[in-house]
Amino acid sequence: MQLPNISDSIQFLPGVGPKRAASFAKVGIKNVEDLLYFFPSKYLDRTRILTVSRVTQLVINGYDGEVTIVGEVIEKEVIQNRKRQIFKVRFKDSSGFFECVWFSGIKYFKTLFNENEHYAISAKPVLTRYGHLQFTHPDFDKFTDDESNDFINTGKIIPFYSIPKELRTKNIGDIGLRKIILAAVEKYSGLVEETLPHELIAKHSLLNCNSAIKNIHFPETTELLNKAKERYKYEELFYIELLVALRKYNFLKKTNGIQFKIHQKIIKQFLDTLPFELTNDQLKVLSEIKNDMISAKPMNRLLQGDVGSGKTIVALISILIAISNGYQTVFMAPTEILANQHFENIKKLLQNFDFDIEQLIGGTKKSEKRKIIEKIKNNECNILIGTHALIEENVDFENLGLVVIDEQHRFGVAHRGKLIRKGISPDVLIMTATPIPRTLTMTVYGDLDLSLIKELPKNRIPVKTVLRGENSLPKIYKFIIDKQKEGYQTFIVYPLVEESEKMELKAAEVYYEKLKQSELKELKIGLLHGRMTWREKDETMQRFNNKEFDVLISTTVIEVGIDIPNANIMVINDAERFGLSQLHQLRGRIGRGTKQAYCILVTKNELAKKTNSFNFNFEYLSRAQIEYHKSKIRLNAMVKYGSGFQLSEVDLKLRGPGDIFGKMQSGFPQLKFADLTTDQELLINAKQDAFNIIEQDIKLGNPANKAIRRKLKNFYKDNLNYATIG
Ligand code: ADP
Ligand code: MG
């Protein structure tokens, strides 16, 4: 007789057989190992069960999510309703009655439910017009007498699998599948191959693979379930960090960077032209950049600094290092208006030097463009400034040494690669003011070295942020008018009404006309919106900067980067419609001068109440209630926190990691177990462990790393295109 093996077909497990095995194979479960790694999607835990009266109350309060309830069958009937059949089962629990209804599969369900049997029902509850609690096509789970006793008395935890349709239609239901998996666990869980190095299991006191498999399916206790979950979380993060580390070290291995020399004199000469001293953080970051630039490995650095923290100067000094070594540099911005602002700014800052600085954006004339591209090819242009799109498509550098990418968050990391390929392997500095929560920097951006500017220049006065209801608008207009007399200028921002530029234009324009003719008619008002060409936008900004307007009405086009030191009031209308990072970016436009700046968030009256404590528990709330609470937290977080880093943590809690993670980089493995909002600690450990291993054994040839090799090849095949293992 053959010994049991984890790669056995599941056909011989009790309750399977060849036909069902074929159905399992269709959903990717081909052998016992696949089945053992088909984990429950949730668990039924005694502490989570609600009573009829509690659920009724929740529904009345507007809750529209799922609940779990346990009841005893009291009767069942098939109702003929016109052409349609409805199957209905009535249940009771200690506090009342509820019913479940089915519109299909009636023949099957009819025989399933019998009087006095106990079921756990999980579904969205509704109240019928007769006031009955009702569930339609619920998930359900039958308890045998034993089970129900166990379950009620000892708090046994029961796994729920989300069963693929393919299997459901073959009559493999919750109970059946649970039995099949139980048989597999009993016979095979001792044979599962370990996927983590033993050293790490010991170091973090993790469950080993055998015990973890057992407890993830049929937990003996809540503690053991949590330990099992923790192990898989750690494992998942560990493998993600392995991919990150492989990407980083393979990149470093393959490419030779430029070893720049630092020409102190030029840098000093430049610093002497500045009207201010660099902050300590700016100096610290500069020394990190310098170290990268003089070393033989290519720089691959992410510079994170809050809005207004002075990243541009840091970038410019890096640029000076590169061009004083005879290399070309490129500075890319996400929008034309921002590129243009950098261009003008950098030209001015370097006016005492003899460097060729060019600009390439959508508005550049064709003939001009050709000339610039020619210059770049011939190494006559030292600094090229422009938008990502244009530079990536059109430009070939003769001698590219440094790439600076501003406000990277607007672009996928993939864009990076495109440009890097244009040079031999230029150093890369990516700058972002969108604070990225730490967990994300360690994953999505984990292959970059990180520099942080935390302090703002000393002369800054923190922006005063307030929350106001719409009925305060008259007061706000009066405030703007009064402050104008003190020399203040004001931004008034409107959100996109819809996701279309046409509507955007309309909203801003309508308010522009209205305010100009009534509330703010004594002031000079300008208008800025997304449909203007960059030249029109730029001209409007210039005029605002020259104080030709007191007030600039704008859509969110002013969001990123723009610098107008004298505009120190910002009114953001319908502020609840903006995301946190967007609000923070907008607010970053003010508070750059020497006056006290004001950010006024205007929202619906009922949302304008101030609160200091945030409750992130949205359990048992309706979707509308959740939206309301989230808006409230966002707005109040803006009032409470000035720092983008604090706001980014709030944002992560509100939006959940999936949303942020997904936007930043697709193609990254999806997280199934770990949650980047709550598992920071695990992530930090996993990263350290993974990087240690790759630093010592990049080919993973060491016998101790055999398990890792095997798992990477089996489970992360698709993600390995980031990296290669030997
Ligand atoms: P960001 O980091 O948002 O890109 P900027 O680089 O645009 O910020 O800098 C914002 C403003 O702060 C600019 O006007 C810049 O000249 C000024 N600045 C930069 N560094 C300092 C400093 N050390 N002290 C005072 N002002 C500074
Ligand atoms: Mg900037």
Side-chain angles (χ1 to χ4, degrees):
M1 200 189 91
Q2 251 188 329
L3 290 174
N5 189 304
I6 190 101
S7 58
D8 286 350
S9 158
I10 64 168
Q11 178 180 340
F12 303 105
L13 291 170
V16 183
K19 266 206 193 129
R20 281 185 164 179
S23 303
F24 273 101
K26 271 193 197 150
V27 297
I29 300 173
K30 298 197 171 81
N31 58 27
V32 172
E33 183 173 26
D34 297 335
L35 186 68
L36 289 176
Y37 279 103
F38 183 73
F39 286 174
S41 55
K42 60 181 177 179
Y43 300 85
L44 195 55
D45 177 341
R46 173 171 83 116
T47 59
R48 306 284 304 166
I49 290 167
L50 303 176
T51 59
V52 168
S53 62
R54 175 82 180 111
V55 174
T56 307
Q57 200 53 51
L58 285 173
V59 176
I60 289 169
N61 291 344
Y63 175 66
D64 55 7
E66 264 197 19
V67 297
T68 297
I69 194 165
V70 170
E72 180 185 334
V73 178
I74 46 177
E75 60 178 336
K76 57 179 175 179
E77 64 176 321
V78 176
I79 300 161
Q80 195 68 40
N81 188 353
R82 292 202 198 120
K83 277 187 200 145
R84 226 169 159 197
Q85 276 197 330
I86 302 169
F87 176 57
K88 189 182 275 186
V89 181
R90 288 201 182 80
F91 295 84
K92 69 166 187 209
D93 78 354
S94 60
S95 72
F97 299 89
F98 64 94
E99 59 191 33
C100 296
V101 292
W102 284 266
F103 300 101
S104 59
I106 291 175
K107 236 163 77 192
Y108 168 68
F109 291 117
K110 216 163 61 178
T111 58
L112 205 65
F113 293 92
N114 293 299
E115 242 172 271
N116 302 326
E117 289 172 345
H118 286 83
Y119 283 86
I121 303 288
S122 293
K124 238 183 200 181
V126 293
L127 280 181
T128 65
R129 62 192 152 125
Y130 307 110
H132 299 308
L133 199 55
Q134 189 184 69
F135 301 88
T136 305
H137 283 233
D139 280 348
F140 59 87
D141 200 61
K142 181 179 171 180
F143 297 110
T144 65
D145 277 353
D146 287 358
E147 253 180 336
S148 90
N149 281 337
D150 255 4
F151 164 73
I152 286 161
N153 295 327
T154 66
K156 188 166 166 182
I157 303 158
I158 290 159
F160 266 84
Y161 299 90
S162 66
I163 301 177
K165 213 167 152 205
E166 177 69 34
L167 298 181
R168 280 246 183 244
T169 55
K170 296 285 169 346
N171 284 338
I172 299 170
D174 298 300
I175 297 165
L177 182 63
R178 199 172 296 139
K179 275 188 185 150
I180 293 169
I181 293 181
L182 181 62
V185 167
E186 280 174 349
K187 187 167 174 191
Y188 291 96
S189 66
L191 301 173
V192 172
E193 279 189 53
E194 187 50 77
T195 44
L196 285 173
H198 295 289
E199 197 193 310
L200 296 179
I201 292 176
K203 181 174 159 194
H204 301 299
S205 326
L206 299 172
L207 289 191
N208 69 27
C209 61
N210 312 107
S211 170
I213 279 278
K214 243 189 243 165
N215 281 290
I216 203 77
H217 287 289
F218 300 100
E220 287 166 44
T221 62
T222 311
E223 289 73 44
L224 278 167
L225 174 59
N226 290 338
K227 287 289 282 179
K229 282 184 183 164
E230 184 188 289
R231 185 218 139 96
Y232 291 114
K233 282 179 181 184
Y234 171 84
E235 179 168 347
E236 178 170 68
L237 294 170
F238 173 74
Y239 276 91
I240 283 192
E241 289 300 334
L242 275 177
L243 291 173
V244 170
L246 279 169
R247 179 148 55 139
K248 174 168 178 169
Y249 289 102
N250 274 308
F251 171 70
L252 290 181
K253 208 178 58 184
K254 264 195 236 136
T255 39
N256 287 321
I258 304 159
Q259 284 178 277
F260 294 99
K261 293 199 177 61
I262 308 288
H263 298 282
Q264 284 301 351
K265 234 174 88 186
I266 294 186
I267 296 175
K268 185 165 181 309
Q269 197 185 338
F270 172 71
L271 289 175
D272 288 344
T273 64
L274 294 179
F276 49 75
E277 303 265 299
L278 295 184
T279 63
N280 287 333
D281 277 0
Q282 282 172 319
L283 289 171
K284 185 193 69 189
V285 166
L286 262 176
S287 86
E288 289 164 351
I289 291 174
K290 274 187 201 164
N291 283 338
D292 282 356
M293 291 186 76
I294 58 180
S295 95
K297 72 176 177 86
M299 172 162 74
N300 212 3
R301 190 166 282 282
L302 178 67
L303 169 53
Q304 263 185 279
D306 218 334
V307 281
S309 61
K311 296 184 293 295
T312 315
I313 293 291
V314 172
L316 195 51
I317 296 172
S318 323
I319 287 175
L320 271 178
I321 295 174
I323 57 181
S324 61
N325 277 264
Y327 285 93
Q328 293 176 293
T329 64
V330 57
F331 191 122
M332 298 196 296
T335 63
E336 306 200 311
I337 183 163
L338 197 55
N340 185 245
Q341 190 180 288
H342 280 312
F343 176 63
E344 297 295 340
N345 189 18
I346 290 175
K347 257 197 330 199
K348 216 184 286 159
L349 286 163
L350 295 183
Q351 61 189 354
N352 299 329
F353 296 85
D354 188 25
F355 291 118
D356 186 77
I357 307 170
E358 305 290 346
Q359 158 164 256
L360 207 52
I361 55 180
T364 314
K365 280 201 212 86
K366 254 200 177 147
S367 56
E368 185 76 3
K369 237 184 230 171
R370 229 176 295 128
K371 260 207 296 219
I372 295 172
I373 291 175
E374 200 58 28
K375 266 184 160 182
I376 297 164
K377 242 191 219 152
N378 300 332
N379 200 8
E380 287 159 15
C381 162
N382 303 111
I383 306 174
L384 174 67
I385 297 160
T387 48
H388 296 243
L390 248 139
I391 293 173
E392 282 176 7
E393 276 162 32
N394 300 313
V395 183
D396 278 315
F397 292 90
E398 151 76 20
N399 195 18
L400 183 60
L402 173 69
V403 178
V404 177
I405 304 176
D406 195 20
E407 306 296 352
Q408 158 77 11
H409 70 286
R410 298 219 141 195
F411 296 84
V413 176
H415 285 250
R416 204 170 75 207
K418 261 193 182 172
L419 225 126
I420 294 170
R421 266 173 249 127
K422 288 185 186 285
I424 323 136
S425 44
D427 281 6
V428 176
L429 180 66
I430 296 170
M431 305 198 289
T432 175
T434 305
I436 306 169
R438 182 146 177 243
T439 48
L440 284 170
T441 348
M442 289 173 63
T443 48
V444 176
Y445 291 115
D447 57 332
L448 306 179
D449 294 308
L450 183 63
S451 284
L452 284 179
I453 303 184
K454 281 193 171 157
E455 59 176 340
L456 296 180
K458 284 188 194 62
N459 54 0
R460 300 280 161 77
I461 311 166
V463 177
K464 201 173 195 159
T465 303
V466 295
L467 185 55
R468 294 286 180 264
E470 279 158 350
N471 54 9
S472 301
L473 276 170
K475 269 197 210 152
I476 294 169
Y477 294 132
K478 186 167 177 303
F479 179 75
I480 294 171
I481 293 165
D482 287 346
K483 284 286 175 185
Q484 185 268 340
K485 291 173 190 136
E486 296 175 26
Y488 272 81
Q489 288 176 284
T490 300
F491 290 109
I492 301 183
V493 183
Y494 291 95
L496 297 187
V497 174
E498 290 192 3
E499 290 291 316
S500 103
E501 287 185 354
K502 221 179 201 162
M503 293 301 291
E504 171 191 347
L505 172 63
K506 212 166 152 197
E509 232 173 16
V510 164
Y511 285 111
Y512 169 69
E513 293 298 335
K514 178 171 172 287
L515 292 175
K516 204 164 71 166
Q517 276 156 33
S518 53
E519 287 93 339
L520 296 176
K521 64 170 178 280
E522 48 196 292
L523 303 184
K524 287 167 287 170
I525 305 184
L527 173 66
L528 190 75
H529 58 75
R531 291 191 105 204
M532 295 168 132
T533 64
W534 81 269
R535 258 181 225 286
E536 290 167 334
K537 282 184 217 159
D538 191 60
E539 192 193 307
T540 307
M541 298 294 293
Q542 290 305 336
R543 291 177 64 190
F544 191 44
N545 206 13
N546 298 336
K547 301 201 180 184
E548 286 177 44
F549 310 124
D550 306 304
V551 173
L552 187 65
I553 306 236
S554 173
T555 57
T556 51
V557 290
I558 55 157
E559 178 189 333
V560 180
I562 284 157
D563 201 15
I564 296 194
N566 197 52
N568 270 318
I569 301 173
M570 175 170 287
V571 179
I572 303 178
N573 288 284
D574 297 330
E576 76 281 356
R577 296 206 201 167
F578 294 90
L580 257 187
S581 72
Q582 211 179 7
L583 287 173
H584 183 60
Q585 274 287 338
L586 283 167
R587 180 169 61 182
R589 301 307 108 224
I590 58 172
R592 292 166 169 248
T594 46
K595 286 189 196 135
Q596 173 67 58
Y598 302 90
C599 176
I600 305 168
L601 305 172
V602 182
T603 184
K604 298 189 183 82
N605 294 328
E606 72 269 19
L607 258 175
K609 288 193 196 81
K610 199 177 147 186
T611 166
N612 248 322
S613 63
F614 306 145
N615 179 4
F616 291 101
N617 183 1
F618 302 125
E619 220 168 15
Y620 301 133
L621 294 178
S622 71
R623 213 167 289 167
Q625 287 167 328
I626 291 172
E627 276 319 304
Y628 178 85
H629 281 276
K630 285 187 172 179
S631 299
K632 207 161 170 182
I633 291 175
R634 279 201 303 274
L635 295 170
N636 279 283
M638 285 296 293
V639 175
K640 187 170 173 183
Y641 299 120
S643 136
F645 290 98
Q646 281 166 313
L647 290 172
S648 78
E649 298 296 334
V650 174
D651 200 32
L652 185 63
K653 281 194 191 142
L654 288 177
R655 281 164 62 196
D659 190 34
I660 301 178
F661 207 72
K663 281 211 181 82
M664 292 221 167
Q665 181 154 22
S666 50
F668 221 80
Q670 286 293 311
L671 291 177
K672 281 198 214 130
F673 303 101
D675 175 342
L676 290 180
T677 54
T678 51
D679 298 326
Q680 258 205 45
E681 200 88 5
L682 276 178
L683 177 61
I684 290 168
N685 289 337
K687 171 161 190 172
Q688 217 164 45
D689 297 335
F691 272 63
N692 279 343
I693 285 173
I694 297 301
E695 275 166 30
Q696 285 164 26
D697 182 21
I698 189 166
K699 291 215 147 90
L700 293 170
N702 186 333
N705 296 329
K706 211 177 96 191
I708 298 178
R709 244 182 113 87
R710 178 174 175 269
K711 174 148 180 175
L712 273 180
K713 287 200 161 159
N714 288 346
F715 287 81
Y716 292 99
K717 259 196 306 265
D718 297 342
N719 305 104
L720 276 175
N721 56 353
Y722 284 136
T724 46
I725 50 174

